[in-house]
Amino acid sequence: MELVGIHQENRNGEMGGKNKYKRMNSELTEDEGFYHQKERTSSTRKYVFACAVFASLNSVLLGYDVGVMSGAILFIHEDLKITEVQEEVLVGCLSVVSLLGSLAGGRTSDAIGRKWTMGLAAVVFQIGAAIMTLAPTFQILMVGRLLAGVGIGFGVMIAPVYIVEISPTVARGALTSFPEIFINLGILLGYVSNYVFSGLPSHINWRIMLAVGILPSVFIAFALCIIPESPRWLVMQNRVEEARSVLLKTNDNDAEVEERLSEILLAAGNTNSDKYEDKAVWRELLSPSPSLRRMLVTGFGIQCFQQITGIDATVYYSPTIFKEAGVEGKSKLLAATVAVGVSKTVFILVAIFLIDRVGRKPLLYVSTIGMTICLFGLGITLSLFKEAPFGIGMAVLAVCGNVAFFSVGIGPVCWVVTSEIFPLRLRAQAAALGAVGNRVCSGLVAMSFLSVARAITVGGTFFIFSAISALSVAFVYALVPETKGKSLEQIELLFQDEHGWEGKEVELGDVEHLVQKE
């Protein structure tokens, strides 16, 4: 620009000065625009971050329940005189019943919106938690537990869907991992609650432990007054201008807003026609096309592998595992579980930092391979070195290592991938199916762990988990594509390419090639 100004000055005399003056004004305007854009980018990031945090609050409920029940069950067993079978049912039924909430969550979120489905989840859980707190008998406790499970099913299914639909592409992986952060935070709070209230009488302490879980619902009610509805759901309801308004708050510039809105409108083009009524959605899920079948296998499979590798058994029954290793005294057992909660929470932060930088598959490889090693090591420790000081240390290290590797990979990435891969018209209900698989596997593991451990020993049970974890490594290699850096609409195209389905990394150039073919 400087050369142009000089050349014009040489040709036109004073006119050149005017051009140079205009050029300087132009530069000032560009600077002002730069700072304005920078300010908007900062504001956008803060707003999307706040939306992801508020949407993830329901996940605290699930995490708190998992963490607190691991210790509360010791005192419930003592207070209500329940049997070992009743203990297994009480612990595991929440995961099984939550599948009802997850199944209903897909249809409910399509009907009333993602935002208000999260509110419904909090209300149902709150009622269940209140009943559990006041329960005089095992039967009443089970009623509250079942209601809490339905509420958790709603929340677990809808939070990742909402976040993935509201997040900009560049930060979608990290933001969609927030529910897993809050699950881990809830688990840690549950462990701390166990430790803090364990000194109270056994007929009071477990009730206080469970009652504390009601508190996050207060913040969820506040959150519903702040967060917007999903722009993709708004488009599905033909509320395009409202969707544009939300996108303006969640994207850095107007061009990106229009690009995202165009993609959503294209993806939702047939959503509101008669052929995509609710019944037609389920018909398509039950009789899927080849590309949708690949999506379902990937989404359902990774959800199941997340749980059948035994993470809930490790978390729910960590006091039992440490007792088997030789740790004595309830206070020491509960203190050891706090170390598990800390490990789980710290390493989810590592995943958040890396997921949009290194990608989904590298984290999945590190996670599943690391879990396999830790689970196998725990099996050896409990079989050969239990009750020895060395064995106790190795058991604690193996359990903490297992939850750490889980949190750095398959824990958060599972929900990210499941929320990313399905087309808009099917996303909520297909994600609900994945959540059902997750909850069923979680319930089966939690409800059978004590019985299986009694039959083949605790160490033998972890050898089985180790073998399943090894299978998950092969599953990730063969059936999970890389989705980092791609829009939701581009990811849908990945599954139309059979070459991307055969364990190969599909990069953005491949997606552009697919778009050109379309």
Side-chain angles (χ1 to χ4, degrees):
M1 289 183 68
E2 198 69 52
L3 290 174
V4 172
I6 293 171
H7 181 64
Q8 288 177 334
E9 194 169 20
N10 290 337
R11 287 180 57 193
N12 301 320
E14 293 182 359
M15 184 67 73
K18 292 180 181 179
N19 283 343
K20 189 173 182 180
Y21 179 74
K22 287 180 182 179
R23 178 182 59 79
M24 292 175 64
N25 278 344
S26 175
E27 285 182 351
L28 290 173
T29 303
E30 287 175 4
D31 287 342
E32 290 173 357
F34 171 77
Y35 288 117
H36 175 74
Q37 181 61 41
K38 188 175 181 181
E39 183 179 343
R40 176 174 173 177
T41 299
S42 175
S43 175
T44 296
R45 289 176 180 173
K46 291 177 182 177
Y47 183 75
V48 175
F49 179 86
C51 289
V53 168
F54 286 136
S56 302
L57 288 176
N58 266 317
S59 300
V60 175
L61 305 178
L62 171 59
Y64 184 82
D65 182 90
V66 171
V68 80
M69 192 54 70
S70 67
I73 194 67
L74 301 174
F75 305 105
I76 294 172
H77 184 90
E78 181 181 338
D79 184 29
L80 299 183
K81 312 299 181 187
I82 63 176
T83 67
E84 188 177 88
V85 173
Q86 288 176 319
E87 182 180 338
E88 282 185 316
V89 171
L90 182 64
V91 170
C93 73
L94 181 136
S95 295
V96 175
V97 174
S98 65
L99 71 88
L100 299 176
S102 293
L103 272 176
R107 186 170 182 177
T108 302
S109 66
D110 281 344
I112 67 174
R114 312 327 191 197
K115 172 180 174 178
W116 296 110
T117 301
M118 289 187 281
L120 179 62
V123 170
V124 174
F125 177 87
Q126 191 174 30
I127 294 171
I131 292 174
M132 286 193 292
T133 300
L134 303 173
T137 65
F138 174 75
Q139 289 74 19
I140 301 299
L141 183 64
M142 281 296 296
V143 171
R145 188 84 171 146
L146 296 177
L147 277 173
V150 172
I152 283 176
F154 273 112
V156 163
M157 172 262 152
I158 195 57
V161 171
Y162 173 83
I163 296 172
V164 83
E165 290 187 348
I166 203 169
S167 302
T169 300
V170 68
R172 189 180 61 240
L175 293 172
T176 309
S177 301
F178 275 27
E180 188 68 22
I181 292 181
F182 280 76
I183 288 175
N184 287 315
L185 178 60
I187 290 172
L188 179 58
L189 292 175
Y191 286 155
V192 171
S193 178
N194 287 338
Y195 185 74
V196 169
F197 298 116
S198 62
L200 298 175
S202 60
H203 67 285
I204 294 176
N205 54 13
W206 65 269
R207 298 180 188 276
I208 296 177
M209 293 173 188
L210 297 178
V212 172
I214 299 174
L215 296 179
S217 299
V218 177
F219 296 102
I220 292 170
F222 172 75
L224 292 175
C225 299
I226 297 176
I227 64 175
E229 184 51 85
S230 158
R232 287 171 170 83
W233 183 82
L234 291 171
V235 169
M236 289 169 64
Q237 305 302 310
N238 292 321
R239 294 157 61 178
V240 178
E241 288 306 314
E242 291 179 58
R244 178 181 281 108
S245 176
V246 174
L247 288 170
L248 284 169
K249 296 178 182 178
T250 58
N251 288 273
D252 290 340
N253 57 70
D254 294 344
E256 186 176 353
V257 168
E258 294 306 319
E259 181 183 351
R260 293 281 81 83
L261 186 60
S262 297
E263 289 182 347
I264 296 169
L265 287 168
L266 181 62
N270 294 318
T271 301
N272 298 309
S273 63
D274 293 338
K275 65 179 286 189
Y276 287 119
E277 291 177 343
D278 185 62
K279 290 182 180 179
V281 168
W282 280 104
R283 192 180 302 122
E284 188 171 355
L285 290 174
L286 294 174
S287 300
S289 64
S291 60
L292 179 57
R293 188 180 301 115
R294 297 177 191 122
M295 296 175 189
L296 290 170
V297 170
T298 298
F300 195 80
I302 197 171
Q303 288 279 8
C304 291
F305 271 115
Q306 191 207 49
Q307 291 298 327
I308 58 177
T309 47
I311 187 64
D312 274 6
T314 305
V315 174
Y316 272 127
Y317 296 108
S318 52
T320 301
I321 296 167
F322 293 138
K323 187 176 181 180
E324 179 74 11
V327 179
E328 297 179 352
K330 288 182 179 177
S331 293
K332 290 183 179 179
L333 289 172
L334 296 178
T337 61
V338 172
V340 176
V342 171
S343 300
K344 208 168 185 300
T345 304
V346 168
F347 278 88
I348 187 65
L349 299 177
V350 176
I352 298 307
F353 178 77
L354 294 177
I355 192 168
D356 284 317
R357 290 172 171 81
V358 304
R360 285 52 159 160
K361 287 193 78 166
L363 290 183
L364 285 173
Y365 284 135
V366 170
S367 175
T368 51
I369 293 171
M371 288 170 61
T372 301
I373 295 170
C374 289
L375 290 167
F376 187 77
L378 183 58
I380 291 177
T381 300
L382 296 177
S383 299
L384 302 177
F385 305 109
K386 62 182 180 181
E387 297 184 2
F390 170 77
I392 292 173
M394 287 299 296
V396 173
L397 182 62
V399 171
C400 290
N402 181 54
V403 299
F405 279 115
F406 176 89
S407 292
V408 86
I410 198 169
V413 174
C414 165
W415 296 104
V416 174
V417 170
T418 306
S419 301
E420 287 178 328
I421 61 177
F422 295 108
L424 176 60
R425 65 181 182 278
L426 307 174
R427 183 170 299 134
Q429 299 193 47
L433 281 178
V436 167
N438 182 284
R439 295 293 88 203
V440 169
C441 292
S442 171
L444 291 176
V445 168
M447 293 177 73
S448 63
F449 178 77
L450 293 178
S451 298
V452 173
R454 188 170 57 250
I456 64 171
T457 74
V458 177
T461 305
F462 279 99
F463 283 131
I464 293 176
F465 287 144
S466 176
I468 296 172
S469 184
L471 289 177
S472 71
V473 180
F475 177 86
V476 169
Y477 171 77
L479 302 177
V480 181
E482 181 58 75
T483 59
K484 181 191 72 159
K486 301 170 179 65
S487 73
L488 299 180
E489 290 68 30
Q490 289 171 334
I491 291 170
E492 183 179 345
L493 294 174
L494 288 178
F495 287 86
Q496 296 176 15
D497 178 21
E498 294 185 8
H499 298 291
W501 174 247
E502 298 171 352
K504 299 177 181 178
E505 300 296 334
V506 182
E507 301 298 337
L508 189 58
D510 299 320
V511 180
E512 292 170 351
H513 176 64
L514 285 171
V515 172
Q516 290 171 2
K517 284 171 63 178
E518 290 294 306

